[in-house]
Amino acid sequence: MQVNNNFEPVIVAFCCNWCSYAGADLSGTNRLNYPTNVKIIRVPCSCRVNPMFILRAFQKGADGVIICGCHPGDCHYTSGNYFTRRRITLLYSMLDFLGIERNRTRLEWVSAAEGAKFAATMQQFTEDVRKLGPNRRLEDLRCRKQ
Amino acid sequence: MQRIGVFVCHCGTNIAATVDVKAVAEALGHEPGVVISQDYQYMCSESGQNLVKDAIKEHNLTGIVICSCSPRMHENTFRKAAASVGLNPYLVEIANIREQCSWIHKEIATATEKAIILGKAAVAKVHLNAPLTAGESPVVKRALVIGGGIAGIQTALDIAEAGFDVDIVEKEPTIGGKMAQIDKTFPTLDCAACILTPKMVECSQNEKIHIHSFSEVSDVKGFVGNFTVTIKKKARFVDETKCTGCGLCTEKCPMKKVPNEFNMGLDNRTAIYIPFAQAVPKVATIDPNHCMMLKTGKCGVCSKVCSVGAIDYKQQDQFIEEKYGAIVVATGFNPIKLDKYDEFAYNQCADVVTSLELERLMNAAGPNGGTLLRPSDKTHPHKIVFVQCVGSRCDDSKGKPYCSKICCMYTAKHAMLIREKYPDTEVYVFYIDVRTPGKNFDEFYRRAVEQYNVHYIKGMVGKVTPKSDGKIDVQASDLLSNEQLHIDADLVVLAAAIEPDKTARPLATMLTTQMDTNDFFTEAHPKLRPVESATAGIFLSGACQGPKDIPETVAQGSAAAAKAIGLLCKNSITCNPCVAHSDELMCNGCSSCEKVCPYGAITYIDKEFRMPDRTTAIRRVASVNPAVCQGCGACTVACPSGAMDLNGFSNSQIMAEVDAICK
Amino acid sequence: MDKNLKEQILRASGVNVLKCMRCGKCSGTCPSYDEMEYHPHQFVYMVEKGDIEKLMNSASLYKCLTCFACVERCPRNVEPAKVVEAVRLAAIRQQGNNHLTPAMIPDMIDEDIPQQALVTAFRKYTK
Amino acid sequence: MQEAMIKRAKELLADGTVNRVIGWKKGEFFYDITPAVFETAEEIDADFVFDDFTSANVSKYLVKESKKEGKILAFLKPCDTYSFNQLIKEHRVVRENVYIIGVPGGPKLDIEKIKAKGITGVLGVKNENFTLKIDTLYGEETMPFYEAICGKCADCKSKKHVIYDELIGEDGDVLDSNRFDMVEKLENMTAQERFEFWREQLSKCIRCNACRNVCPACTCEKCVFDNPNSGVENKAASDSFEENMFHIIRAFHVAGRCTDCGECSRVCPQNIPLHLLNRKFIKDINALYGEYQAGADTTSRAPLNTYDTEDCEPSIVHERGVE
């Protein structure tokens, strides 16, 4: 594998408005550091995350995509994250089947109270993706940064 | 052509210290469609808002991006500002460069770079924002209070006072809760029953208040202003409408050996029982686990002695459905179980009791008629040891991580009452810290020490050992004199930590409200919205939100009532316009979306369409009820054709953000 | 204050002394309390302050029975017995302050001592 | 069989039960057979065919046909009935407007496999004791029958008709097939090998959209890939990523709905084994959420439209198979 110490992965995090986005805010309020590579997109619920968004992110040059939602049973909309769990499990399994590195994708449950978990998760995920190097398997060549 | 304004907030130094706000404003000024890009010290201040408003008017903006704190904080502020000058509030986007940038990053260069990207994503999104108009949905003018303790009672009384109907759902046969079990209250030492029971009676007499005792909430549907709640009225085998509460049945019932929950199991009751004399409703209840008639079909004494024929052994659980505009949760607390603290010998020795048990032991209506006697041999204790912080302030593996808050004060109260009534008794209190913030609280504690000579010892009890002579050896360290003590006590009282009621967790799931890791309900904002849950229309009252003493509970109960009344006063509430909608031309009518909708907001209609070949066809298409839809977006992903989309978080908007971040 | 020594003890014990809330339950539960000059809660507090020399020179070190009652009962999982053990190890393994020198060994050899014990003793006391 | 079907079709047309018949008709060559709608007995006599090459699934045509005036007679093979059932479940066909006659299924033959043997100028085939006698312009050739059958028939999952009004011939049973063998083989490769396998396969894609157009689950009024507002519209594969995106999304959209009829791979002009993507989802669904056969009934909930609170976490992907 190509080792590039200067490699800074682009990481897209989809966070549900009620738990994980609030958890991310809490890690900010508590000044818990995590890498700048992570950019958060707010969605009402993790079940709003269409597989197309994930593929689109990879296509446009993301190196890792993480989805965060309320813990199962705690969904603001009662059942949204249960659907997310099925959809995303199947999608990740399919990406794995196509030979895409497993550590580029992740789903994590982060509650509004888990600021520390949010920061730790982002730190770990960024490290995992950094180790994998740039995303070469799913990117749109036209979009590659020069 | 879009005309977008970008406004970058310094938030004092909160943002400006780590993000080069000028550079952010400069960079975003070059984004397509951006016609003005400014920074300002406090964008949320009045002058900051005026700056935004003036820019909207002057540049005739079609959308604005505020780079500031979390949208959870000030999104509404800026939406209102935009609306006040005629810009649709949903044409406002927030880039969160405080909580998610300046506060978590230290290097100015990278933090600024990230802030610019977040800003670009927001600009990309706002390009695709559509003006949205919020619909309205009616408010049902009735409130539900879950839990009939002092918190629930106070809330219900206040809401009823404002003229709205209130239902109280209480899982026990009577309202009153923990306060009904308490003997005296700190810091005034007035009798709990004397101040609580009039309120209970007021509840039963107020025609606006309807008490569902011995009932539980079994299902909650709907949303703010329009909840549909199913209440399970558990079978009490007594017709509530007929029972006069005369108590004859409880005297005659032959099954007299049932541990009395109200007295913490320190004495017995009968299988048919009224928890206590001032119970509301004062109606008997048959305990099916102990009633001979229900278990074996033989007995029937209560039915024979009941002059009004209220006994009904065939009674079944009943489910009633009711609509509410607001729900107040007041599920309260319980002391924790002390089984795992072997060192305190709670399970081995009858004379090691919890503080709540002591309340009953000292209460005039308690098992000893108000005389403090040891449970084991009914003798007067002469040396009493109180142990504070049992199970509180622990590591997660050992107990509860939080301070239970009320123990310091009630222990001081107990010590004082005992010294007052039995001056020959020696009282020791082992404490880690004595915490007495509250009006007249520290004075109260000092009185216990100075006036009543209660021995306060800084240190924790390590071990409690019952001895063969009936005494209890209490081994503890005195940290200040640096010695280990042994006290031959007659009675040991443990200040058990308090925890939320076990019914709260499943209830939170039903209500889709959040809880913290300790199962306390999470308030919408820890400082500014302490009695609201994050779910609209659900309010929090009392200890279900965190440990509280009675004055605080009553204050919060009234606060929750005020919030609920504020909601019930409205005839209709503005709906969230960020709801799903279906493009009928693309809809397949396949029902996938309907199956994943948690609110049943999607229905199907057969609709006539003009086809491209100028024929007409009838097609089955999805239709979303915007008043019922809560905007989760589950349907948008279930829909294979992409006909279903979500206002405010549309496919194209989210993809524009993705593109902006990845570029 | 010997910072390295504190570090060594913290690492060897795996204990976070900052978790202590000074309730004294460890000392309240300690069966050797009266024998000790410094008590379990003092071990935790003094290690936190870096006041370790006194502990290392105190006989209290060897009065701890390692019964783990304090570990079992500490509400905050501080594990004082592990701190005591770590201080004890630090005392035993103090560098340049060996209890024995190789030269002293031959005179002390007893025919009944297993060879392995000698090797172990060398390893333990000469480093 | 063909005679019996023609006879019955003409009877039903004559007594007014139906006003159209959907079946198959020959193309330019005897083996390029396409689905066709017949309105008169004469048309049927002239063109109707049912033989070793009538492998096409006609269910999808009924999405449009069943909404027309009058009733249509459809001959459905077992695999076609699963597709039809699934379409009923999704309200895509009007059941009352279709008269279904179940007819026996394959194995059907794949002309490409015959041509692959170097046999050209094929005029006709005959199966004699599992040896295929092939009549060509250049004389008779033979090959083993099973080497010439369609990929989808080789992995046949069921000979049972799950829906019909009447049957011609015997009904069969659900079979124990080895259809997941290839998926499993891929799962056991390393990620790099899997990536290379799919890179090679998907790079062949010319975005002719045949897989989508033939798929009985892909019946959207407007496909997201044709919709300029969807954000993913693209008509042609312009670079290496787009066929990834197209095929993953297409497989995802039919996940839990695909009956595994195998039409996508059958029609692919580039011979991409697209059915493996669908089967991967089916295999995962079976393993993680319980056995589920789309189209087996018309009432059960699709696995992606339901959930269990005890479902596994996506991290299960990390715990299984080869990295």
Side-chain angles (χ1 to χ4, degrees):
Chain A
M1 188 186 294
Q2 173 185 354
V3 181
N4 183 351
N5 291 330
N6 298 325
F7 168 59
E8 286 299 338
V10 175
I11 290 172
V12 179
F14 291 98
C15 291
C16 87
N17 182 42
W18 304 96
C19 291
S20 307
Y21 195 88
D25 278 354
L26 183 62
S27 67
T29 312
N30 292 343
R31 312 297 198 275
L32 301 170
N33 192 1
Y34 57 84
T36 48
N37 309 61
V38 178
K39 313 284 190 304
I40 295 171
I41 294 180
R42 185 164 69 128
V43 287
C45 175
S46 57
C47 70
R48 177 65 187 94
V49 180
N50 196 310
M52 279 195 282
F53 303 160
I54 299 168
L55 294 178
R56 172 71 159 228
F58 282 127
Q59 177 186 18
K60 296 287 178 186
D63 300 295
V65 175
I66 179 165
I67 300 171
C68 298
C70 309
H71 285 266
D74 291 350
C75 178
H76 179 77
Y77 304 102
T78 325
S79 56
N81 54 4
Y82 288 124
F83 291 116
T84 310
R85 184 159 64 176
R86 280 204 171 186
R87 289 166 184 166
I88 299 302
T89 302
L90 288 179
L91 180 76
Y92 286 179
S93 177
M94 174 56 79
L95 292 177
D96 179 55
F97 186 63
L98 292 171
I100 310 311
E101 303 93 332
R102 287 170 183 178
N103 286 341
R104 288 206 193 280
T105 51
R106 187 149 162 190
L107 175 69
E108 199 66 51
W109 310 124
V110 180
S111 82
E114 293 175 325
K117 180 179 177 182
F118 186 86
T121 303
M122 291 305 152
Q123 222 141 30
Q124 184 59 47
F125 185 64
T126 309
E127 266 332 290
D128 290 348
V129 175
R130 199 192 301 277
K131 272 184 217 145
L132 287 173
N135 159 36
R136 297 253 177 263
R137 293 184 179 175
L138 268 178
E139 77 180 324
D140 182 333
L141 298 173
R142 295 168 304 178
C143 299
R144 185 177 290 172
K145 280 182 203 164
Q146 294 308 316
Chain B
M1 185 57 201
Q2 294 273 16
R3 303 172 56 77
I4 291 163
V6 176
F7 304 91
V8 186
C9 180
H10 298 211
C11 196
T13 55
N14 277 314
I15 294 171
T18 16
V19 168
D20 181 348
V21 282
K22 298 256 184 248
V24 173
E26 166 73 17
L28 296 179
H30 299 303
E31 283 295 289
V34 176
V35 292
I36 176 170
S37 184
Q38 286 181 302
D39 63 284
Y40 187 72
Q41 203 146 28
Y42 290 103
M43 212 53 96
C44 61
S45 67
E46 200 178 332
S47 47
Q49 290 187 49
N50 284 336
L51 182 111
V52 175
K53 289 183 200 170
D54 293 344
I56 293 172
K57 284 186 283 191
E58 187 186 335
H59 297 273
N60 198 15
L61 298 180
T62 58
I64 58 171
V65 168
I66 316 277
C67 300
S68 61
C69 54
S70 172
R72 296 170 58 88
M73 201 74 149
H74 276 308
E75 190 170 52
N76 266 337
T77 312
F78 294 113
R79 279 182 174 171
K80 275 185 200 150
S84 73
V85 287
L87 181 69
N88 185 288
Y90 293 88
L91 298 173
V92 177
E93 281 297 326
I94 310 283
N96 184 345
I97 60 165
R98 192 178 79 173
E99 280 85 347
Q100 294 178 5
C101 192
S102 71
W103 275 355
I104 46 170
H105 305 311
K106 295 193 179 76
E107 263 182 62
I108 293 181
T110 50
T112 305
E113 189 189 350
K114 176 170 172 176
I116 292 170
I117 292 175
L118 293 176
K120 282 181 178 175
V123 171
K125 186 179 182 191
V126 85
H127 265 283
L128 298 163
N129 279 19
L132 302 174
T133 316
E136 296 205 323
S137 85
V139 176
V140 178
K141 306 259 176 195
R142 191 184 186 93
L144 172 66
V145 175
I146 305 171
I150 180 62
I153 289 172
Q154 185 63 39
T155 306
L157 286 171
D158 286 353
I159 295 175
E161 186 71 14
F164 297 103
D165 281 305
V166 198
D167 291 4
I168 300 179
V169 170
E170 168 58 52
K171 67 181 189 310
E172 302 298 334
T174 170
I175 59 170
K178 291 285 172 299
M179 188 173 169
Q181 289 176 279
I182 293 173
D183 184 36
K184 298 272 192 319
T185 54
F186 60 77
T188 47
L189 294 181
D190 43 1
C191 148
C194 312
I195 53 179
L196 174 69
T197 49
K199 279 189 178 285
M200 290 164 64
V201 173
E202 222 181 308
C203 277
S204 71
Q205 288 174 348
N206 191 319
E207 57 187 22
K208 291 279 180 192
I209 300 180
H210 318 270
I211 301 172
H212 298 288
S213 62
F214 212 49
S215 301
E216 283 166 14
V217 170
S218 67
D219 189 37
V220 180
K221 284 203 177 69
F223 52 93
V224 52
N226 205 346
F227 295 102
T228 305
V229 178
T230 311
I231 298 166
K232 175 180 167 189
K233 286 185 85 85
K234 296 180 280 187
R236 69 199 307 164
F237 306 103
V238 173
D239 187 335
E240 265 181 75
T241 56
K242 291 184 187 159
C243 177
T244 60
C246 71
L248 192 58
C249 52
T250 65
E251 279 168 37
K252 301 289 180 194
C253 176
M255 190 64 213
K256 296 193 191 301
K257 291 274 180 200
V258 186
N260 184 354
E261 301 89 347
F262 185 72
N263 280 338
M264 304 303 290
L266 292 165
D267 66 351
N268 292 325
R269 60 163 169 84
T270 45
I272 185 166
Y273 66 108
I274 297 173
F276 56 99
Q278 299 88 354
V280 169
K282 197 168 182 195
V283 172
T285 304
I286 298 182
D287 179 346
N289 295 322
H290 295 96
C291 171
M292 298 307 288
M293 188 65 189
L294 290 170
K295 279 167 74 185
T296 64
K298 296 192 187 94
C299 183
V301 169
C302 49
S303 169
K304 279 174 214 138
V305 300
C306 182
S307 57
V308 292
I311 311 290
D312 174 9
Y313 298 115
K314 297 234 157 37
Q315 205 176 66
Q316 300 278 317
D317 290 352
Q318 228 188 322
F319 290 87
I320 53 174
E321 204 180 87
E322 189 70 63
K323 281 189 173 293
Y324 301 100
I327 298 179
V328 182
V329 183
T331 46
F333 72 96
N334 278 307
I336 59 165
K337 291 225 181 321
L338 296 176
D339 301 350
K340 68 173 176 182
Y341 304 100
D342 279 340
E343 65 268 33
F344 297 124
Y346 177 73
N347 282 348
Q348 290 100 291
C349 180
D351 298 328
V352 178
V353 298
T354 65
S355 302
L356 194 53
E357 286 165 8
L358 184 74
E359 294 280 355
R360 297 314 301 156
L361 286 173
M362 291 168 60
N363 190 291
N368 302 327
T371 314
L372 179 59
L373 299 173
R374 306 209 313 166
S376 64
D377 55 8
K378 306 283 176 201
T379 58
H380 271 292
H382 294 288
K383 227 178 227 183
I384 302 179
V385 170
F386 286 89
V387 186
Q388 298 269 56
C389 297
V390 176
S392 296
R393 309 171 65 188
C394 286
D395 196 80
D396 280 330
S397 60
K398 296 279 173 77
K400 303 294 176 189
Y402 48 85
C403 166
S404 294
K405 194 170 186 178
I406 55 177
C407 326
C408 286
M409 286 303 288
Y410 70 58
T411 298
K413 172 191 79 179
H414 289 155
M416 212 186 274
L417 287 171
I418 290 170
R419 289 281 300 154
E420 163 102 11
K421 212 165 168 190
Y422 312 103
D424 60 335
T425 313
E426 286 216 71
V427 175
Y428 297 87
V429 176
F430 284 93
Y431 68 94
I432 304 173
D433 303 287
V434 178
R435 297 179 168 178
T436 54
K439 192 173 174 183
N440 293 327
F441 281 16
D442 205 64
E443 295 91 320
F444 184 78
Y445 153 61
R446 290 315 307 168
R447 251 167 71 207
V449 176
E450 294 165 24
Q451 207 174 321
Y452 290 92
N453 279 322
V454 177
H455 306 299
Y456 268 79
I457 301 171
K458 158 99 184 148
M460 189 64 180
V461 169
K463 207 165 148 197
V464 174
T465 322
K467 297 202 295 189
S468 52
D469 63 356
K471 296 272 185 191
I472 307 164
D473 176 47
V474 178
Q475 180 185 325
S477 69
D478 179 337
L479 289 177
L480 297 181
S481 67
N482 207 4
E483 59 183 340
Q484 198 174 55
L485 304 175
H486 283 270
I487 297 175
D488 267 347
D490 299 311
L491 188 70
V492 175
V493 185
L494 306 177
I498 60 173
E499 63 180 359
D501 194 80
K502 293 274 179 265
T503 55
R505 173 62 70 173
L507 186 67
T509 304
M510 274 189 261
L511 296 169
T512 71
T513 48
Q514 285 149 28
M515 288 189 136
D516 62 19
T517 45
N518 299 312
D519 279 6
F520 285 115
F521 282 88
T522 309
E523 58 280 10
H525 188 285
K527 294 165 200 100
L528 304 177
R529 295 172 69 195
V531 299
E532 294 157 84
S533 78
T535 307
I538 313 272
F539 305 98
L540 310 174
S541 173
C544 67
Q545 179 260 351
K548 272 180 200 66
D549 57 30
I550 294 170
E552 276 184 302
T553 298
V554 172
Q556 208 201 12
S558 287
K563 284 286 169 189
I565 293 164
L567 169 60
L568 296 177
C569 279
K570 295 179 185 161
N571 287 323
S572 64
I573 42 166
T574 319
C575 302
N576 169 18
C578 295
V579 293
H581 61 92
S582 152
D583 183 335
E584 290 171 341
L585 288 173
M586 292 199 288
C587 177
N588 300 331
C590 72
S591 284
S592 287
C593 53
E594 178 198 19
K595 297 220 166 69
V596 299
C597 179
Y599 304 101
I602 301 170
T603 47
Y604 284 86
I605 45 172
D606 286 320
K607 202 167 169 181
E608 205 174 86
F609 286 91
R610 287 277 286 170
M611 302 307 279
D613 58 0
R614 299 188 177 188
T615 56
T616 54
I618 295 188
R619 280 178 37 221
R620 178 187 144 88
V621 291
S623 156
V624 181
N625 178 349
V628 181
C629 174
Q630 297 295 294
C632 68
C635 53
T636 59
V637 184
C639 177
S641 69
M644 201 55 94
D645 210 344
L646 190 64
N647 286 339
F649 293 95
S650 71
N651 288 327
S652 52
Q653 283 176 308
I654 295 176
M655 277 203 250
E657 284 183 272
V658 168
D659 291 357
I661 288 173
C662 296
K663 234 183 264 166
Chain C
M1 163 176 140
D2 187 343
K3 231 183 156 186
N4 287 334
L5 189 56
K6 179 178 171 184
E7 278 303 307
Q8 183 196 334
I9 288 166
L10 293 180
R11 207 173 54 239
S13 62
V15 166
N16 177 4
V17 286
L18 295 174
K19 278 167 74 177
C20 176
M21 63 168 167
R22 324 234 186 280
C23 72
K25 196 174 182 184
C26 45
S27 293
T29 202
C30 181
S32 302
Y33 188 95
D34 291 338
E35 308 282 320
M36 290 172 139
E37 178 191 1
Y38 297 111
H39 305 114
H41 72 276
Q42 288 172 293
F43 269 85
V44 175
Y45 184 53
M46 287 164 79
V47 167
E48 188 196 322
K49 282 197 306 180
D51 201 1
I52 296 164
E53 285 298 317
K54 279 185 211 151
L55 295 174
M56 292 192 22
N57 295 324
S58 162
S60 301
L61 271 188
Y62 308 100
K63 301 292 180 189
C64 168
L65 304 172
T66 324
C67 71
F68 274 57
C70 51
V71 172
E72 188 55 39
R73 296 190 184 144
C74 173
R76 302 197 56 81
N77 271 353
V78 177
E79 307 181 305
K82 294 193 179 170
V83 176
V84 178
E85 175 66 17
V87 177
R88 194 152 48 198
L89 276 175
I92 292 169
R93 293 190 176 170
Q94 222 165 19
Q95 302 219 352
N97 193 14
N98 291 331
H99 294 233
L100 292 173
T101 59
M104 292 159 74
I105 304 285
D107 291 340
M108 299 169 75
I109 288 176
D110 184 320
E111 288 205 343
D112 294 336
I113 292 179
Q115 198 186 353
Q116 202 174 1
L118 279 174
V119 176
T120 315
F122 264 112
R123 196 181 290 150
K124 193 163 181 175
Y125 294 120
T126 56
K127 281 201 179 129
Chain D
M1 182 55 57
Q2 184 177 320
E3 279 66 52
M5 286 161 69
I6 290 174
K7 179 165 169 277
R8 192 69 189 121
K10 287 201 281 194
E11 280 170 22
L12 289 168
L13 272 178
D15 69 14
T17 311
V18 299
N19 63 4
R20 284 157 300 140
V21 178
I22 185 162
W24 301 264
K25 73 173 183 189
K26 280 199 181 71
E28 199 167 335
F29 302 102
F30 84 99
Y31 50 74
D32 68 8
I33 284 167
T34 55
V37 177
F38 305 89
E39 291 188 353
T40 61
E42 292 69 40
E43 285 174 24
I44 291 176
D45 276 330
D47 289 328
F48 189 93
V49 59
F50 184 75
D51 61 14
D52 287 336
F53 288 95
T54 51
S55 45
N57 181 345
V58 299
S59 296
K60 183 175 185 171
Y61 296 85
L62 296 167
V63 172
K64 282 223 165 66
E65 289 296 331
S66 73
K67 287 174 188 144
K68 291 183 181 163
E69 201 65 30
K71 210 163 175 172
I72 185 165
L73 165 64
F75 290 106
L76 299 183
K77 303 187 296 300
C79 48
D80 309 348
T81 61
Y82 282 88
S83 305
F84 189 73
N85 243 5
Q86 182 65 25
L87 289 168
I88 295 177
K89 184 195 276 187
E90 294 172 9
H91 308 275
R92 300 295 289 147
V93 291
V94 184
R95 171 67 182 94
E96 302 72 47
N97 286 348
V98 186
Y99 189 88
I100 301 168
I101 297 185
V103 293
K108 301 289 180 188
L109 297 178
D110 181 352
I111 188 65
E112 295 301 326
K113 291 200 171 166
I114 297 171
K115 285 180 178 169
K117 289 272 177 191
I119 302 168
T120 52
V122 181
L123 298 172
V125 295
K126 205 186 279 174
N127 175 11
E128 280 177 9
N129 283 330
F130 301 109
T131 300
L132 202 60
K133 295 260 156 84
I134 305 155
D135 186 19
T136 77
L137 285 170
Y138 318 105
E140 194 181 80
E141 302 264 7
T142 61
M143 69 182 284
F145 175 75
Y146 277 106
E147 287 181 18
I149 66 173
C150 274
K152 69 172 191 168
C153 293
D155 292 332
C156 182
K157 64 182 181 293
S158 174
K159 297 261 183 217
K160 183 178 149 83
H161 294 85
V162 288
I163 188 169
Y164 56 82
D165 294 306
E166 66 178 78
L167 277 178
I168 297 182
E170 295 283 296
D171 198 9
D173 290 317
V174 176
L175 307 178
D176 282 331
S177 76
N178 299 323
R179 60 186 171 132
F180 298 121
D181 286 1
M182 187 58 194
V183 174
E184 211 164 300
K185 194 177 148 195
L186 278 164
E187 284 171 348
N188 290 327
M189 290 180 181
T190 64
Q192 188 60 36
E193 286 168 342
R194 285 198 295 272
F195 178 70
E196 276 155 19
F197 173 87
W198 284 111
R199 190 73 266 123
E200 186 188 330
Q201 293 298 339
L202 294 178
S203 303
K204 296 192 291 191
C205 177
I206 53 173
R207 278 307 290 279
C208 66
N209 285 335
C211 48
R212 182 188 80 189
N213 295 349
V214 78
C215 175
C218 272
T219 62
C220 284
E221 297 290 322
K222 184 161 208 154
C223 177
V224 285
F225 290 101
D226 290 344
N227 178 2
N229 299 324
S230 72
V232 293
E233 181 207 27
N234 58 48
K235 300 261 186 192
S238 53
D239 84 339
S240 71
F241 184 81
E242 299 206 335
E243 41 317 329
N244 283 334
M245 178 100 162
F246 172 74
H247 290 293
I248 299 169
I249 293 297
R250 206 187 78 77
F252 189 83
H253 279 177
V254 301
R257 303 164 57 228
C258 167
T259 64
D260 199 9
C261 74
E263 285 287 273
C264 44
S265 292
R266 186 181 70 83
V267 299
C268 179
Q270 298 292 87
N271 293 319
I272 304 171
L274 294 166
H275 64 285
L276 293 177
L277 295 174
N278 301 327
R279 277 197 192 151
K280 168 65 179 167
F281 276 133
I282 296 172
K283 183 170 179 281
D284 277 346
I285 288 168
N286 285 347
L288 302 176
Y289 310 124
E291 290 282 325
Y292 181 83
Q293 172 61 54
D297 63 78
T298 57
T299 50
S300 64
R301 271 200 173 203
L304 277 172
N305 288 345
T306 183
Y307 62 87
D308 190 294
T309 54
E310 301 303 316
D311 279 340
C312 61
E313 297 291 329
S315 56
I316 196 162
V317 175
H318 294 248
E319 290 147 23
R320 304 180 312 165
V322 181
E323 166 74 66

